[in-house]
Amino acid sequence: MDKKELLKKLWTLKSKIGMPEEDFRALVSGATGKESTRDLEPKEFERIFKIMDKAFPGIIEKKPPRKKSVSVSKDPKVVAIPTPDQRSKVTQLLGEIKKQYPNLSAESMSQRMFRKSYRLLSKHQTQSLIEALKSMSSRVASP
């Protein structure tokens, strides 16, 4: 957190607790030796937060640990293969719009959108292709 966010958090906690201004200033001064909250360093903010959490248990909401995101490999040899459901959905949508766009194919769409062959699309790219086909299908279906 940057200093501005730490200041905001500190003053928000003060308000949540309902601590009088004089007591708050005494807490800051006693914990850090500084008179102004603007002069505090990040470690000093943490010290004050710990004191407030001890005095008022549960006042500081603990955030659950973030889930680790799945990393996508940058190796061009590693490909997230589209699911059979995605492949069948592409075929179905192409069938729906074939009358309006007779020369359209999954290959031509993938070349136009991603500049690569339909066989080499990742799951996410195939999903983007499906969304584009859905949009085209809805325009063909509605007059």
Side-chain angles (χ1 to χ4, degrees):
M1 268 190 230
D2 67 350
K3 193 169 186 172
K4 188 175 182 179
E5 291 173 357
L6 289 169
L7 277 168
K8 184 178 177 181
K9 181 179 178 180
L10 182 63
W11 284 96
T12 301
L13 287 174
K14 176 214 173 280
S15 297
K16 265 188 182 179
I17 295 168
M19 185 181 282
E21 182 81 21
E22 297 164 359
D23 294 347
F24 178 69
R25 295 285 176 191
L27 169 69
V28 171
S29 177
T32 64
K34 296 182 180 176
E35 296 297 319
S36 174
T37 56
R38 290 190 184 273
D39 298 336
L40 298 178
E41 298 297 322
K43 286 185 178 185
E44 294 170 324
F45 280 106
E46 292 305 319
R47 190 177 316 138
I48 295 170
F49 293 147
K50 284 180 184 177
I51 292 169
M52 293 174 105
D53 195 39
K54 276 186 180 177
F56 303 91
I59 192 69
I60 298 177
E61 298 169 8
K62 308 284 193 266
K63 292 184 180 178
R66 291 182 72 181
K67 293 180 181 177
K68 292 185 179 182
S69 63
V70 177
S71 64
V72 178
S73 175
K74 300 295 181 199
D75 185 358
K77 295 175 187 171
V78 177
V79 180
I81 301 169
T83 65
D85 289 340
Q86 285 180 314
R87 298 279 186 190
S88 66
K89 187 68 173 176
V90 168
T91 305
Q92 174 203 344
L93 289 167
L94 282 169
E96 290 176 13
I97 60 176
K98 202 65 167 172
K99 287 182 184 175
Q100 190 74 19
Y101 304 99
N103 297 330
L104 189 67
S105 68
E107 186 63 34
S108 66
M109 283 287 290
S110 71
Q111 286 293 336
R112 201 174 293 156
M113 291 175 69
F114 305 107
R115 308 228 187 293
K116 63 176 161 179
S117 174
Y118 176 64
R119 295 179 299 107
L120 300 175
L121 295 182
S122 69
K123 282 182 183 178
H124 302 290
Q125 291 169 328
T126 304
Q127 191 59 43
S128 295
L129 180 74
I130 289 169
E131 295 305 319
L133 289 170
K134 280 182 185 177
S135 177
M136 293 172 75
S137 177
S138 68
R139 283 180 280 178
V140 168
S142 60

